Every structure is written in structure tokens, then in C-alpha cells.
Amino acid sequence: MNTKPTSRIIPYIPGDGIGPEIMEVARKVIDAAVLKAYRDPNLVEWKILKAGQIAFDETGEWLPASTLEAIRRYKVSIKGPLTTPIGGGMRSLNVSLRQMLDLYVCLRPVRWIDGLPSPHRSPQGINIIIFRENTEDLYTGIEYQVGTLEHTKWMDAYKQALPEDYARLPYPKQCGIGIKPISKPNSQRIVHAAVDWAVENKRKRVTLVHKGNIMKYTEGAFLEWGYKEVENNFTSTTFTRRQFQIMVNEIGLLAAEKQKSELLAGGKIWVDDVIADVVFEQLITKPQNFDVIATTNLNGDFLSDAAAALAGGVGISPGANINPQTGTALFEANHGSAENLTGLNKANPSSLILSGEMMLRFIGWTEAADLIRAGLTETIRKKKVTFDLAEQIEGASILGTKEFADQVISFIRN
């Protein structure tokens, strides 16, 4: 019999647009799985938090301090999609949450489930975990708009300090500026988190993804610092491409290949690197070769959506923002708020349901997490899906948001 876990309060942000609808059914799925696994209807106490349009309408704040404090206090929480108005210089609420709470790991698993649509002719075996750095890169929001006083000050200072570099700018008075900071501490902690997870979960490969061939002192530095982190802290569990190259120089290619094979067969994790544009090409041709990816913020944003497209799209792609050092974790739907579907009972709740599954696994409620994955997997295998997936699955039955969740719950209970 499963050991009953300790009850806990789980805060949730319903979100905007379709957020409240999919959050309601996702909570029902989570509750059903917890009840089935542990026979106690009182293990989870849900605590609603305000953020986004709802919060702004009620309080005049998009992200109230009380919401941030509750996320910190209760450690583990879940949220629906939030809308940030385009224009006006307002930063993304999602980015703000990640940075204000220092949730430096954006964890995006991509796993193909039998029955899901995929543009790949052989999607079987796709199981990629992306560790995206969450707090810096171009997402710091340090930008200067053409025509503003800040832009003029920055350009004047740049021209005075580095006139030769200033001269390389195309149309400097008409050139928007964005700053891309990549730091050693933040690069090393995301790589550390990725390798640590790979070791704990017995994965075979960690790939550092970068564009260091062009951006040598940002993306290139991320690569250098990443390798140093691995070689300084994971010597007993990993073997890196840089170590392999040293071995080749010392004993020759054939002998080095043999030793590499022996090390990997003995359980060591292979740590290598691939340039970002090459990763996109390889995701199309041989996605099963990837295992765990660690990368910078912008690369991770692109790659997580591209990889998700191989396994049903972002509508079924879960995600989490985590600080492994503090234990704070915010699980979330990966897609937008889709206001055009609000109130129509059409939205696909799979992303949020699977994020709930990740959340349960994170807190150690593995039995309940397994039930959610099994229930959702069986629902998809039976071709009982929402309209977005039904359009791509021959012979599928179209279910509404609530009916889809009810079907998942039915498989959980049975």
C-alpha cells in the first residue's frame, strides 16, 4: 500500500483568458489522482492567488506583493497562462515572476505519447528535458527605444567611450539597443542543475547548446563556464567532449574512442555541446539523440517550443520554473491565454494537467503523478482529444475542456 504523504497547501494562479477554465479541470484531475493514490480527500488544500488582468482589475497591480510572498512561503505552486499587454514598455508577467523569485531553471520536458500528432515520421522515443536559464540574457529587459532620452544618453556615452565600436552600428540614431548579459554564476548554476538532474535520473547525455561561434564573450563564455562547472564538480559521473579531445591528443583517436565507450558503458554521462542552429536541424532529423539540454534563455525559449512541436505542440507541453537551491517551484502552462477561446469549453488543458503531474513528482507524490500520466496517455491513445489535437489525428473524437478532463479522471479512477 502507498505511504500517505503529509497534507499541504498548494497555491494556484488561475490566469487570464482560458486560464480559469483549464485550471479548474486540472485541479480536478490532480485531486482525483491524489485521492486514488492515497485514499485521503484532504491532502491538498488549494489557495487561490491573484496575478494578471484579474489582479489588476481588483487591486491596480498586475503582480501583488502578497502573491509573491505566498509563492515563497509555500514553496510549490501552479499557475495558468497570464496575459501581458503588448506595447507600453510593460515587461512580461511570466518573466517578472521568474526573475523576482530567482527561479533560474526553466524546466521543459518534451516526451512523445503514443497517439499524439507529430511532424516527425518516427517520433517514438522522443524524451528530451530542456534546462533553460531563466533570469538573464536578452530577457533582462534592458532595452533603449529609439528617440528616448535613455537611448540618446546611452548612444552618447557609447560614442565617447568606444568610438570605433560606435562606428560599427548601423544608423545609430535609428538603432534600437538591447543588452545581452550572460554571467558566470548564472551559467554555471543552470549547467549544474541540468547535470545534477541527469545524474539523479540516470540519463546518458547532457548537451550544452550555445551560439558561441559568433557571440564569443556571452554564448561562448556560457559554454566555457559550463564545461568548467562539470569538470570541477562532476568528475566521477561525467565524461566531457573537452576531456575526450585531450585524450585524443595524448593517445590517439582509436584508443580514445575505445576508452570513451568503456566510460559511457560504465555509467558515465556524456557531456558535449552543439551550436544552436545545428540543434534545430538535428531536432528535425534525429531528435531521439537528445537527452538533457542546458542552454541560455533565448535559445531555450526557441528550442523548447520547437521540440514541443515534435510531440503534439505547446498545448500538451508542461513546464516549471524552479530554484533548486531554495526549493521554490512554480509550475505552469506553456501556452498563452488564448482569449478567443475563453468560455467556449474548447481549450486543451493537457499542458497544465501535465504540469500538475510534474508538480506532484517534484514534491515526491510519485504514485499520484504516475496516475495522471497514465490517465492522460490512455485518453490520447483512445483518440479522445480536444479540437486542436483532433484536427491532426485521424478518426479522433472531439471533446470539450471539461469532457477531456473527465475522461482522464475516468481512467485514473478505473
Side-chain angles (χ1 to χ4, degrees):
M1 183 173 177
N2 298 333
T3 302
K4 189 175 75 171
T6 303
S7 61
R8 64 185 301 153
I9 296 171
I10 299 181
Y12 70 98
I13 298 171
D16 297 320
I18 61 171
E21 298 169 59
I22 62 173
M23 180 62 74
E24 180 182 1
V25 300
R27 286 169 51 215
K28 288 181 179 179
V29 171
I30 293 168
D31 285 340
V34 170
L35 179 59
K36 175 72 172 181
Y38 308 115
R39 308 296 183 185
D40 186 341
N42 301 310
L43 281 179
V44 176
E45 178 183 339
W46 295 101
K47 178 180 177 63
I48 190 168
L49 304 179
K50 294 176 182 178
Q53 189 67 53
I54 294 174
F56 185 78
D57 291 343
E58 293 185 10
T59 69
E61 296 181 279
W62 293 97
L63 196 54
S66 58
T67 293
L68 293 171
E69 177 55 33
I71 294 172
R72 291 190 184 99
R73 177 183 176 187
Y74 294 104
K75 296 295 185 183
V76 173
S77 52
I78 188 168
K79 78 172 188 67
L82 294 173
T83 297
T84 299
I86 297 174
M90 183 179 175
R91 294 172 60 193
S92 162
L93 292 175
N94 295 317
V95 172
S96 296
L97 276 165
R98 296 163 187 168
Q99 294 180 347
M100 294 171 77
L101 296 165
D102 196 26
L103 304 175
Y104 62 87
V105 171
C106 183
L107 188 62
R108 296 286 178 88
V110 176
R111 181 177 179 181
W112 185 76
I113 297 172
D114 185 23
L116 280 177
S118 174
H120 201 275
R121 64 183 179 182
S122 301
Q124 297 82 4
I126 293 176
N127 188 0
I128 305 168
I129 307 294
I130 298 174
F131 280 74
R132 168 192 173 193
E133 201 289 320
N134 229 0
T135 63
E136 56 183 17
D137 201 348
L138 293 173
Y139 289 77
T140 54
I142 305 173
E143 294 185 290
Y144 301 111
Q145 182 182 3
V146 171
T148 62
L149 177 61
E150 292 81 5
H151 184 274
T152 300
K153 286 183 176 180
W154 196 92
M155 283 297 189
D156 288 347
Y158 190 43
K159 182 178 182 179
Q160 183 176 355
L162 297 166
E164 293 182 0
D165 287 348
Y166 176 86
R168 296 168 59 192
L169 295 175
Y171 308 102
K173 294 185 182 300
Q174 303 176 57
C175 180
I177 294 294
I179 297 178
K180 178 186 176 71
I182 301 289
S183 69
K184 180 178 181 180
N186 288 349
S187 296
Q188 291 190 324
R189 69 179 182 173
I190 188 67
V191 172
H192 188 104
V195 178
D196 195 46
W197 188 92
V199 171
E200 184 177 344
N201 290 274
K202 296 180 170 54
R203 304 299 278 243
K204 296 181 179 180
R205 179 188 181 192
V206 176
T207 303
L208 309 183
V209 176
H210 62 98
K211 192 61 181 170
N213 57 324
I214 302 298
M215 292 173 277
K216 300 184 184 301
Y217 306 122
T218 51
E219 303 264 337
F222 167 84
L223 178 65
E224 175 67 19
W225 292 327
Y227 269 131
K228 285 184 177 179
E229 179 68 16
V230 176
E231 291 162 3
N232 288 340
N233 293 287
F234 295 95
T235 53
S236 64
T237 52
T238 65
F239 182 59
T240 72
R241 171 175 283 175
R242 296 204 318 181
Q243 292 170 323
F244 174 71
Q245 190 56 55
I246 292 171
M247 191 179 290
V248 169
N249 295 336
E250 291 177 348
I251 63 177
L253 179 59
L254 291 179
E257 285 282 8
K258 181 181 178 182
Q259 195 160 336
K260 172 189 170 183
S261 297
E262 291 172 352
L263 289 170
L264 300 186
K268 287 211 171 189
I269 296 170
W270 173 240
V271 180
D272 65 347
D273 66 276
V274 181
I275 295 172
D277 43 300
V278 176
V279 173
F280 281 101
E281 181 267 330
Q282 291 182 356
L283 280 175
I284 295 170
T285 57
K286 43 189 176 182
Q288 292 86 350
N289 284 3
F290 289 106
D291 195 354
V292 177
I293 287 174
T295 189
T296 54
N297 206 333
L298 184 61
N299 288 332
D301 195 1
F302 295 152
L303 283 171
S304 57
D305 282 5
L310 298 171
V314 294
I316 198 164
S317 171
N321 305 288
I322 303 170
N323 184 318
Q325 296 169 350
T326 65
T328 306
L330 177 61
F331 297 81
E332 64 179 355
N334 278 346
H335 51 74
S337 50
E339 277 81 0
N340 60 312
L341 296 178
T342 302
L344 300 181
N345 192 38
K346 294 180 67 176
N348 185 350
S350 297
S351 175
L352 199 56
I353 289 172
L354 286 173
S355 295
E357 180 249 345
M358 287 178 67
M359 179 180 71
L360 294 177
R361 209 171 292 283
F362 181 83
I363 63 177
W365 296 14
T366 306
E367 298 87 357
D370 289 343
L371 285 169
I372 290 178
R373 175 159 290 279
L376 190 136
T377 298
E378 190 61 23
T379 302
I380 292 171
R381 282 178 180 159
K382 297 293 186 183
K383 299 186 177 183
K384 297 180 178 183
V385 294
T386 48
F387 82 99
D388 56 319
L389 294 177
E391 290 176 345
Q392 306 172 70
I393 301 174
E394 186 177 352
S397 300
I398 301 177
L399 300 182
T401 306
K402 295 177 182 177
E403 291 73 22
F404 178 84
D406 287 343
Q407 187 63 69
V408 175
I409 291 171
S410 176
F411 283 123
I412 288 172
R413 289 173 175 167
N414 295 327

